[in-house]
C-alpha cells in the first residue's frame, strides 16, 4: 500500500457560533506531511476549534480543509484517517488499558485474538505491557498519556491531533513526555498537530509554530523564526525573550531608521523588508533579552553603532545558566536583560545600581 | 477501655445517632415484632397466643397458592422493570446527550416529574376513563373502524396493571440513570466517535456500561416497589390478578396476624435477595461517593 500523505491545508476556514461569535476568522495554513505543528495561543484564541475542525468533531462555517489532497469537510473522523488525543485524555474509565487501546479495532469488527495481538505489539513498543490489565484510574498522569497516545496511534492514522496533551502533567513529567511525543512522532513519521498555550513547549517541539490571537494567525513558521524574528508586537510579547519598545520615527535614512521617545534618544533600528515607516509615525521594535548587555556607566563607552540607555536595576533573578536582570528602562513596561551567569558574577549588580543597557543596532528588530 | 473505644469511634457514633433514632423505633422494632409474631399462634379473633410454632411457615411453604402468588408478582415485576428500564434509559439518554441546551434539559427533566404533582391513586384511576370499554381508546378505535367491538384487554387486565406500574415508576428509572449519564465526560463519547464507533457502538460499549450503577439503582426502586405493592394490581386487574402483599392483606382483614406476619417475613427475604443480586452487578459505592 502506498503511504497516504498527511499534509494539511486550511483555506479560508471560518467558524462562527450562533451566527455571531467569530471563533476562527479566515485561517490559511499549510502543514507539510510528517511535520510537527504547534498551534500556540492564549485560551479562547480558536486553536482548539481549528484542531476539532481538522479532526471532524466540528464543521467549519466556511472554507476548506484538505488532508492529503482531499477535501475532508463533512467527512467523519474515521474517513479522514485522523486520530485525536483529547485534553485530559478522555480514556474509557470502565475499560482496561488493553481494551482502551483496542477500542478502535473492536468497533472495526476485528476479533478479540486479532485486535489483542495488534495491541500487545504496540503496548510493547510504548512500554505499557505490564499495565495492560489496569483501569485508567489506577494509572499516573504520564502513564495515562502513554495509553491515550497508543489508543490514538493504533489505527495508524495519517494525522495525529493533540489537544493540550501535556497540561495535566507536572513540570518535570511534562518535559519528559514532551521528548516522548517528539520521539513518537519521528517513529511514526506522521503529521502531528499539537495545541498548547505554553511557549516553551511549542518552540521545543515544533517544526512549524503557529501563533494565534482571537481567531487569527499572527505568525506561522519554524520555531526559530517565530522566536527570534517575531513579526509583530503580539508575537514578540507572547513568545517572550524579547523586550518590546516603542517610539516615534525621527528620520529614515538608507537601511535604518532612528526612533525616539521620552526615554529613548535616537535609537537606530534597521529597516525590515516590506516595512516603510513614515517619519513622525509611531513604531514598535524588539530587542532580544539575551542581546542586551549591561555596562556600568563610564566603564568603556557604548559599542559603536549601538544603543545605550541608562537604567536602574529593579530586580535580579538567578536562573541557573543565566541571570535575569529587570530594569526600569521604560516606566510601566518590562525591560529585561539575560546576562550569562559567569559574566554577571564577574561584577554582580545589586538592586538600585545604575547601568547602561546596550545592544548592537543591527540586533533590534522593527515590528509591524 | 470503654473510654478508649469511645475516643476512637465516638464521632462516628454521634454521626449515625440521628438516623438510628428514627430507624430503630420505627423500622427495626416493628420488624422484630412482625418476626416474632410469625412464630406464634393466633386465636382466630385477632389475639396472639404466646406459644411458639412453625405452623405459619409450614402452611406457607406447602401451599401451591404461595408459589402462584410469587409467580404472578414476579411476572408483573419483570414486565414493569423491563418497560420502565427501556423508557427510562432512552428518556435519560435523550435528555443528556441530545438536548444541547443544558437549561432546556433541566426543564424537560422537571417536566418528567409533573405527573407526580398528583397522588399515585389519582394517576392510576385516571387510566380507567382512557382504557375502559367505553373509554377514549376504544371509542377512537371503533370510530375510525379499527375494531367493531371494544377491546377488552385494555382495562381490568394484566395489560392495565403493567401500564399503571410503568406510568408510576418510570421516573424512578429516569432519575438515577440521568444522574449517572450526566457524569459521563462528553469527551469520552467524542473519543469513541473519533475511534470510529457508530451510534449503536457508543451506546453499547460506552454509555450502557458507564450508566450501569444508575440502572441498578433504578432497578432496585422499581423491583422493591412492585414486589411490595398490592393496590395497583387489585384495582387495575379488576380483581383478576392477586399478589403476595394482596394475599396477606386479606389475612390481616380477617385478623389472621401470625400467618400474615410469616408471609411478610418471607417476602422481605425474597426482596432482599433480589436487591442483593442487583447489587452484585455494580459497585454502588462508586455512585454515592465518586
Amino acid at each position: 500500500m502506498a503511504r497516504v500523505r498527511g499534509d494539511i491545508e486550511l483555506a479560508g476556514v471560518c467558524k462562527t457560533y450562533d451566527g455571531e461569535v467569530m471563533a476562527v476568522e479566515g485561517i490559511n495554513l499549510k502543514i507539510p506531511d510528517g511535520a510537527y505543528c504547534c498551534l500556540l495561543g492564549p485560551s479562547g484564541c480558536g486553536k482548539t476549534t481549528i484542531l476539532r475542525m481538522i479532526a471532524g468533531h466540528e464543521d467549519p462555517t466556511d472554507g476548506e480543509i484538505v488532508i492529503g489532497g482531499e477535501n475532508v469537510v463533512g467527512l467523519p473522523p474515521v474517513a479522514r484517517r485522523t486520530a485525536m488525543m483529547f485534553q485530559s485524555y478522555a480514556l474509557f474509565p470502565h475499560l482496561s488499558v488493553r481494551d482502551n487501546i483496542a477500542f478502535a479495532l473492536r468497533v472495526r469488527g476485528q476479533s478479540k485474538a486479532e485486535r489483542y495481538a495488534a495491541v500487545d505489539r504496540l503496548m510493547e513498543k510504548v512500554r505499557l505491557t505490564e499495565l495492560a490489565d489496569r483501569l485508567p484510574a489506577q494509572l499516573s498522569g504520564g502513564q495515562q498519556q502513554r495509553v491515550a497516545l497508543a489508543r490514538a496511534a493504533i489505527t495508524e492514522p495519517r494525522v495525529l491531533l493533540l489537544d493540550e496533551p501535556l497540561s495535566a502533567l507536572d513540570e518535570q513529567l511534562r518535559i519528559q513526555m514532551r521528548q516522548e511525543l517528539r520521539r513518537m512522532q519521528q517513529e511514526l513519521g506522521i503529521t502531528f498537530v499539537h495545541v498548547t498555550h505554553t511557549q516553551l513547549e511549542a518552540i521545543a517541539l515544533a517544526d512549524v509554530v503557529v501563533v494565534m490571537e482571537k481567531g487569527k494567525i499572527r505568525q506561522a513558521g519554524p520555531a526559530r523564526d517565530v522566536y527570534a524574528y517575531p513579526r509583530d508586537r503580539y508575537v514578540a510579547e507572547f513568545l517572550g525573550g524579547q523586550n518590546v519598545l516603542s517610539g516615534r520615527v525621527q528620520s529614515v535614512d538608507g537601511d535604518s531608521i532612528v526612533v525616539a521617545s521620552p526615554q529613548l534618544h535616537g535609537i537606530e533600528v534597521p529597516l525590515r523588508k516590506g516595512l516603510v515607516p513614515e517619519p513622525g509615525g509611531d513604531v514598535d521594535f524588539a530587542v532580544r533579552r539575551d542581546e542586551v548587555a549591561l555596562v556600568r556607566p563610564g566603564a568603556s563607552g557604548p559599542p559603536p553603532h549601538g544603543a545605550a540607555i541608562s537604567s536602574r536595576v529593579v530586580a535580579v533573578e538567578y536562573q541557573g545558566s543565566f541571570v535575569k536582570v529587570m530594569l526600569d528602562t521604560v516606566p510601566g513596561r518590562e525591560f529585561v536583560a539575560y546576562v550569562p551567569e559567569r559574566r554577571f558574577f564577574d561584577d554582580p549588580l545589586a538592586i538600585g545600581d545604575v547601568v547602561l543597557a546596550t545592544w548592537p543596532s543591527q540586533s533590534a528588530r522593527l515590528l509591524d | 477501655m470503654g473510654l478508649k473505644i469511645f475516643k476512637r469511634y465516638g464521632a462516628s457514633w454521634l454521626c449515625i445517632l440521628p438516623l438510628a433514632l428514627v430507624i430503630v423505633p420505627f423500622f427495626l422494632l416493628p420488624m422484630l415484632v412482625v418476626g416474632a409474631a410469625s412464630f406464634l399462634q393466633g386465636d382466630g379473633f385477632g389475639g396472639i397466643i404466646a406459644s411458639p410454632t412453625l405452623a405459619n411457615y409450614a402452611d406457607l411453604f406447602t401451599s401451591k397458592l404461595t408459589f402462584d402468588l410469587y409467580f404472578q408478582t414476579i411476572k408483573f415485576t419483570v414486565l414493569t422493570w423491563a418497560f420502565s428500564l427501556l423508557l427510562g434509559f432512552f428518556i435519560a439518554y435523550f435528555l443528556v446527550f441530545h438536548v444541547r441546551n443544558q437549561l432546556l434539559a433541566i426543564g424537560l427533566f422537571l417536566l418528567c416529574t409533573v405527573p407526580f404533582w398528583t397522588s399515585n391513586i389519582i394517576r392510576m384511576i385516571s387510566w380507567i376513563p382512557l382504557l375502559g370499554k367505553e373509554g377514549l381508546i376504544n371509542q377512537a378505535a371503533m370510530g375510525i373502524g379499527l375494531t367493531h367491538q371494544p377491546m377488552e384487554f385494555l382495562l381490568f387486565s394484566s395489560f392495565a396493571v403493567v401500564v399503571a406500574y410503568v406510568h408510576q415508576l418510570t421516573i424512578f428509572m429516569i432519575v438515577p440513570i440521568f444522574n449517572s449519564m450526566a457524569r459521563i465526560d462528553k469527551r469520552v463519547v467524542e473519543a469513541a466517535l473519533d475511534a470510529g464507533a457508530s451510534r449503536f457502538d457508543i451506546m453499547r460499549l460506552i454509555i450502557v456500561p458507564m450508566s450501569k450503577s444508575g440502572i441498578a439503582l433504578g432497578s432496585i426502586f422499581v423491583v422493591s416497589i412492585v414486589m411490595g405493592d398490592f393496590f395497583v394490581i387489585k384495582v387495575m386487574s379488576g380483581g383478576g390478578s392477586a399478589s403476595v402483599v394482596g394475599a396477606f392483606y386479606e389475612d390481616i382483614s380477617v385478623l389472621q396476624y401470625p400467618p400474615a406476619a410469616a408471609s411478610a417475613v418471607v417476602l422481605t427475604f425474597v426482596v432482599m435477595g433480589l436487591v442483593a443480586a442487583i447489587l452484585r452487578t455494580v459497585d454502588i459505592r462508586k455512585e454515592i461517593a465518586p
Side-chain angles (χ1 to χ4, degrees):
Chain A
M1 193 181 82
R3 211 178 91 67
V4 278
R5 281 159 48 220
D7 53 318
I8 303 171
E9 192 176 343
L10 307 181
V13 173
C14 293
K15 177 74 183 174
T16 53
Y17 290 105
D18 309 323
E20 278 186 28
V21 193
M22 265 291 200
V24 171
E25 291 181 47
I27 293 286
N28 294 302
L29 178 65
K30 274 186 187 174
I31 304 169
D33 185 22
Y36 200 120
C37 170
C38 275
L39 301 179
L40 174 65
S43 59
C45 73
K47 57 194 193 301
T48 299
T49 309
I50 293 180
L51 195 78
R52 292 173 54 82
M53 288 193 290
I54 299 173
H57 292 295
E58 264 173 70
D59 286 324
T61 317
D62 198 18
E64 279 191 1
I65 297 172
V66 178
I67 302 178
E70 164 198 19
N71 186 1
V72 296
V73 173
L75 294 180
V78 185
R80 297 174 185 219
R81 304 241 0 233
T82 58
M84 183 145 166
M85 194 174 122
F86 290 79
Q87 193 173 4
S88 60
Y89 317 131
L91 297 175
F92 306 125
H94 59 296
L95 297 180
S96 67
V97 166
R98 182 181 278 120
D99 284 323
N100 257 286
I101 302 172
F103 187 84
L105 303 179
R106 183 172 177 188
V107 299
R108 278 166 175 72
Q110 286 195 7
S111 73
K112 204 168 199 165
E114 207 177 343
R115 63 179 191 252
Y116 278 2
V119 168
D120 287 345
R121 271 199 303 279
L122 182 62
M123 281 198 300
E124 191 131 348
K125 224 161 112 185
V126 293
R127 290 167 287 124
L128 281 170
T129 308
E130 60 275 35
L131 304 173
D133 298 313
R134 299 245 191 117
L135 288 175
Q138 298 164 320
L139 302 177
S140 71
Q143 290 166 339
Q144 286 186 19
Q145 199 221 28
R146 294 219 303 271
V147 176
L149 206 55
R151 183 178 69 174
I154 189 79
T155 56
E156 294 171 7
R158 54 183 175 176
V159 175
L160 194 66
L161 304 158
L162 307 105
D163 188 4
E164 305 256 359
L166 303 171
S167 63
L169 306 174
D170 56 45
E171 189 60 36
Q172 214 168 10
L173 205 54
R174 200 177 303 175
I175 290 163
Q176 201 180 326
M177 285 296 150
R178 195 163 86 186
Q179 288 164 357
E180 191 150 352
L181 279 181
R182 184 69 198 180
R183 191 177 55 82
M184 191 96 172
Q185 192 259 345
Q186 274 155 358
E187 233 165 67
L188 295 170
I190 61 173
T191 313
F192 270 38
V193 184
H194 171 143
V195 159
T196 178
H197 58 257
T198 314
Q199 300 84 324
L200 285 178
E201 199 173 299
I203 57 174
L205 278 170
D207 302 317
V208 183
V209 176
V210 180
V211 185
M212 294 191 59
E213 187 202 18
K214 292 182 188 149
K216 288 189 180 131
I217 293 179
R218 302 307 291 254
Q219 189 171 353
R224 179 146 192 259
D225 280 10
V226 175
Y227 182 81
Y229 309 107
R231 183 180 295 159
D232 60 14
R233 176 185 199 111
Y234 175 81
V235 176
E237 283 181 344
F238 192 75
L239 279 157
Q242 306 268 356
N243 294 305
V244 180
L245 300 166
S246 40
R248 184 149 293 173
V249 182
Q250 270 186 332
S251 61
V252 182
D253 54 314
D255 51 2
S256 68
I257 58 172
V258 177
V259 179
S261 79
Q263 288 82 32
L264 313 173
H265 305 291
I267 304 285
E268 195 186 338
V269 178
L271 270 176
R272 224 175 91 203
K273 231 192 202 169
L275 275 185
V276 191
E278 295 284 311
D282 288 324
V283 290
D284 293 330
F285 64 97
V287 179
R288 283 179 64 144
R289 290 177 173 177
D290 50 2
E291 301 223 30
V292 176
L294 304 178
V295 283
R296 297 212 186 251
S300 61
H305 307 295
I309 309 168
S310 172
S311 336
R312 193 180 297 274
V313 175
V314 179
V316 174
E317 256 180 29
Y318 182 60
Q319 303 274 337
S321 58
F322 63 91
V323 178
K324 183 176 175 186
V325 182
M326 282 159 263
L327 304 164
D328 68 347
T329 311
V330 185
R333 188 172 299 166
E334 233 186 3
F335 189 96
V336 177
Y338 292 159
V339 184
E341 195 214 27
R342 254 176 230 168
R343 188 176 334 143
F344 181 88
F345 287 105
D346 285 345
D347 178 15
L349 294 166
I351 294 170
D353 285 2
V354 173
V355 291
L356 282 174
T358 70
W359 63 87
S361 290
Q362 69 273 15
S363 71
R365 179 175 168 82
L366 197 58
L367 301 174
D368 287 2
Chain B
M1 191 187 141
L3 193 71
K4 215 167 152 189
I5 286 180
F6 182 81
K7 263 193 186 153
R8 199 151 163 204
Y9 298 111
S12 321
W13 282 105
L14 271 178
C15 285
I16 61 165
L17 188 66
L19 184 65
L21 284 180
V22 176
I23 293 231
V24 171
F26 298 112
F27 178 74
L28 214 56
L29 283 179
M31 288 295 282
L32 288 175
V33 169
V34 171
S38 70
F39 289 102
L40 300 174
Q41 282 179 346
D43 62 2
F45 304 102
I48 289 172
I49 304 162
S51 61
T53 171
L54 286 173
N56 299 319
Y57 288 101
D59 288 348
L60 204 61
F61 287 122
T62 51
S63 157
K64 186 176 173 292
L65 181 68
T66 310
F67 295 97
D68 288 345
L69 287 173
Y70 270 97
F71 176 74
Q72 284 263 8
T73 308
I74 286 175
K75 180 186 84 182
F76 285 129
T77 305
V78 169
L79 285 172
T80 307
W81 172 76
F83 285 113
S84 59
L85 174 59
L86 208 65
L87 278 173
F89 182 83
F90 282 102
I91 292 171
Y93 178 78
F94 174 77
L95 289 176
V96 174
F97 292 103
H98 280 260
V99 182
R100 290 280 172 90
N101 183 333
Q102 203 181 3
L103 211 63
L104 182 65
I106 291 169
L108 290 173
F109 180 73
L110 289 177
L111 210 61
C112 291
T113 67
V114 167
F116 295 82
W117 298 357
T118 62
S119 90
N120 252 351
I121 295 171
I122 290 175
R123 264 183 297 139
M124 180 180 68
I125 302 287
S126 44
W127 281 103
I128 292 175
L130 202 70
L131 300 174
K133 242 182 189 176
E134 308 278 309
L136 271 177
I137 290 179
N138 269 325
Q139 279 182 359
M142 287 193 294
I144 60 169
L146 269 180
T147 56
H148 297 291
Q149 276 175 335
M151 292 174 283
E152 302 238 353
F153 75 89
L154 286 180
L155 190 60
F156 303 131
S157 59
S158 299
F159 174 79
V161 173
V162 174
V163 167
Y165 270 139
V166 169
H167 179 211
Q168 276 188 8
L169 301 177
T170 298
I171 192 78
F172 290 108
M173 279 291 189
I174 296 176
V175 175
I177 296 177
F178 179 90
N179 191 27
S180 50
M181 273 184 189
R183 286 195 203 162
I184 299 177
D185 184 350
K186 296 284 186 297
R187 276 180 303 215
V188 169
V189 177
E190 237 166 33
L193 202 69
D194 201 73
S198 64
R199 213 166 259 260
F200 177 69
D201 284 333
I202 291 176
M203 177 98 70
R204 183 171 61 100
L205 301 174
I206 306 293
I207 293 170
V208 170
M210 288 183 75
S211 10
K212 228 165 67 177
S213 51
I215 292 172
L217 272 180
S219 303
I220 290 173
F221 288 138
V222 170
V223 165
S224 55
I225 291 173
V226 177
M227 288 297 288
D229 183 75
F230 72 98
F231 193 66
V232 173
I233 294 186
K234 195 172 152 158
V235 175
M236 295 308 281
S237 74
S241 299
S243 61
V244 175
V245 181
F248 65 76
Y249 177 72
E250 300 287 319
D251 279 342
I252 289 169
S253 60
V254 295
L255 307 180
Q256 295 288 334
Y257 294 131
S263 297
V265 169
V266 171
L267 179 63
T268 305
F269 278 105
V270 170
V271 173
M272 273 164 57
L274 289 173
V275 170
I278 294 170
L279 286 180
R280 281 195 71 130
T281 63
V282 291
D283 180 7
I284 213 79
R285 257 185 246 174
K286 225 170 57 188
E287 187 69 3
I288 299 162

